[in-house]
Amino acid sequence: SQTIHQWPATLVQPVGSPLSLECTVEGTSNPNLYWYRQAAGRGLQLLFYSVGIGQISSEVPQNLSASRPQDRQFILSSKKLLLSDSGFYLCAWSPETGTVSYEQYFGPGTRLTVT
Amino acid sequence: SQQGEEDPQALSIQEGENATMNCSYKTSINNLQWYRQNSGRGLVHLILIRSNEREKHSGRLRVTLDTSKKSSSLLITASRAADTASYFCATVGSGSARQLTFGSGTQLTVLP
């Protein structure tokens, strides 16, 4: 069966420090991968998605970047964190089904607090 | 931008009652999905309804879709305290669209 891991679970970082959040998927090949951010009490905002190694699409201009160095690994990074980067970060995967997205499967999330 | 908007934003009911949540969207869709999120956790996929379907059932869940009104509803029958969570609708646009667009969610509280 497929599983998705995210770490760390919680993170407190000072403004201006770098960030690296990691997401890995097991039990599937060539998944579509997604990074979302969720502000408190709000819906999910899609940040990045990837359909293959080295292929990253960015949905909103921001202080963050994403990379996919391996088929089942997705990394979210920042060189210098801002206070506004605080939030709950969720990674998700979906099977490769051509051009349309169906169900997505989410990781447990990372709670990031920038102080 | 948010494609789906859920209504109500918060709903509180007694155990055993039915809970109905609504979702409206703006553009044509390929499919619409409902997800559940327990506090501080990831989202769990509940049910998917395609644009050519009008109603779908899964256990105690019933989803309807009205593409003419660009709206969907999620009904949870015989609710339980364990159903307490946030519920989100998410849409996939028609044409080539690998991503979901999520609404802002309905916070459901089921009182024992």
Side-chain angles (χ1 to χ4, degrees), chain A residues 32 34 36 38 42-44 46 49 51 59 88 90 98-104 106-108 111, chain B residues 2 30-31 33 35 37 40-43 45 48 50 88 92 95-100 102-104:
Chain A
N32 294 327
Y34 307 84
Y36 292 90
Q38 184 178 31
R42 306 290 297 276
L44 278 67
L46 178 64
Y49 73 93
V51 300
E59 289 300 299
F88 191 49
L90 288 157
T99 59
V100 179
S101 179
Y102 297 102
E103 298 96 307
Q104 291 186 13
F106 284 79
R111 175 77 57 193
Chain B
Q2 300 288 347
N30 178 286
N31 67 74
Q33 305 175 30
Y35 288 79
Q37 183 182 32
R41 308 292 290 275
L43 277 71
H45 180 266
L48 179 152
R50 298 174 192 263
F88 295 90
V92 176
S96 175
R98 291 188 179 89
Q99 58 265 41
L100 299 176
F102 283 84
S104 52

Side-chain angles (χ1 to χ4, degrees), chain B:
Chain B
S1 63
Q2 300 288 347
Q3 159 79 314
E5 292 297 331
E6 285 89 341
D7 169 57
Q9 290 186 337
L11 178 62
S12 184
I13 59 174
Q14 293 293 136
E15 207 165 25
E17 294 179 340
N18 296 341
T20 300
M21 289 159 270
N22 303 296
C23 169
S24 60
Y25 57 91
K26 297 176 183 175
T27 61
S28 60
I29 61 170
N30 178 286
N31 67 74
L32 185 146
Q33 305 175 30
W34 285 91
Y35 288 79
R36 165 197 168 123
Q37 183 182 32
N38 285 42
S39 180
R41 308 292 290 275
L43 277 71
V44 175
H45 180 266
L46 295 176
I47 195 166
L48 179 152
I49 187 164
R50 298 174 192 263
S51 60
N52 61 353
E53 297 176 308
R54 292 297 167 258
E55 187 171 313
K56 206 162 184 181
H57 297 254
S58 176
R60 293 185 295 113
L61 305 180
R62 172 177 169 254
V63 170
T64 62
L65 179 64
D66 186 336
T67 53
S68 67
K69 295 181 179 178
K70 292 187 170 57
S71 67
S72 173
S73 67
L74 171 67
L75 168 68
I76 304 174
T77 60
S79 63
R80 306 166 181 167
D83 294 327
T84 295
S86 292
Y87 292 82
F88 295 90
C89 68
T91 55
V92 176
S94 57
S96 175
R98 291 188 179 89
Q99 58 265 41
L100 299 176
T101 304
F102 283 84
S104 52
T106 292
Q107 171 61 51
L108 173 66
T109 302
V110 182
L111 303 169

Side-chain angles (χ1 to χ4, degrees), chain A residues 2-115:
Chain A
Q2 301 88 4
T3 55
I4 178 169
H5 304 277
Q6 281 186 249
W7 64 88
T10 59
L11 191 59
V12 180
Q13 292 282 98
V15 167
S17 63
L19 174 73
S20 181
L21 303 181
E22 190 164 340
C23 171
T24 59
V25 182
E26 296 176 356
T28 188
S29 297
N30 197 30
N32 294 327
L33 296 172
Y34 307 84
W35 277 112
Y36 292 90
R37 177 169 57 204
Q38 184 178 31
R42 306 290 297 276
L44 278 67
Q45 179 187 35
L46 178 64
L47 301 176
F48 301 95
Y49 73 93
S50 171
V51 300
I53 296 174
Q55 300 179 64
I56 309 295
S57 295
S58 174
E59 289 300 299
V60 292
Q62 60 202 306
N63 185 42
L64 302 168
S65 62
S67 62
R68 185 171 177 174
Q70 301 179 44
D71 181 46
R72 289 169 288 178
Q73 184 184 31
F74 206 22
I75 297 172
L76 184 69
S77 304
S78 173
K79 292 182 179 178
K80 289 185 178 181
L81 283 169
L82 306 172
L83 285 174
S84 58
D85 291 324
S86 293
F88 191 49
Y89 288 83
L90 288 157
C91 180
W93 74 275
S94 68
E96 173 54 50
T97 56
T99 59
V100 179
S101 179
Y102 297 102
E103 298 96 307
Q104 291 186 13
Y105 302 93
F106 284 79
T110 294
R111 175 77 57 193
L112 172 65
T113 304
V114 183
T115 60

